[in-house]
Amino acid sequence: MPSLSVVVPVYNCRLYLAEAIASVCQQTFADFEFIIVDDGSTDGSDKIIDAAAAADIRLRVIRRPNTGLVGALNDGLAAVRGTFIARMYGC
């Protein structure tokens, strides 16, 4: 079990998504899982998320129809395994 779960909701964030994912994955603290909740993106964000998840086993992806931020965060929180939770602001 990781000691930290990082949760980020994503909805149509293609322009900045790769940088946002890299900023978390490149931290010096490595004992974490990174849960990305794709809230029904339609702009190609899913391809960026899939590529990142294929490259880093700490990433977990949740896909859901777009219903908004609160639902996306609740789905992410329901999936955490870490002792502590950090929320990264999505777009």
Side-chain angles (χ1 to χ4, degrees), residues 34-38 46 48-54 58-64 79:
F34 189 7
I35 300 171
I36 301 174
V37 183
D38 183 0
D46 59 331
I48 295 167
I49 294 168
D50 289 343
R58 298 174 295 185
L59 272 72
R60 295 176 50 211
V61 181
I62 298 171
R63 290 214 160 73
R64 56 187 310 257

Side-chain angles (χ1 to χ4, degrees), residues 27-87:
Q27 296 297 312
T28 56
F29 181 79
D31 184 22
F32 67 89
E33 66 177 347
F34 189 7
I35 300 171
I36 301 174
V37 183
D38 183 0
D39 191 31
S41 295
T42 59
D43 69 342
S45 292
D46 59 331
K47 291 173 183 52
I48 295 167
I49 294 168
D50 289 343
D56 193 324
I57 62 170
R58 298 174 295 185
L59 272 72
R60 295 176 50 211
V61 181
I62 298 171
R63 290 214 160 73
R64 56 187 310 257
N66 177 253
T67 60
L69 178 63
V70 173
L73 286 171
N74 283 336
D75 283 356
L77 289 173
V80 302
R81 297 178 298 185
T83 305
F84 299 100
I85 300 169
R87 181 196 180 233

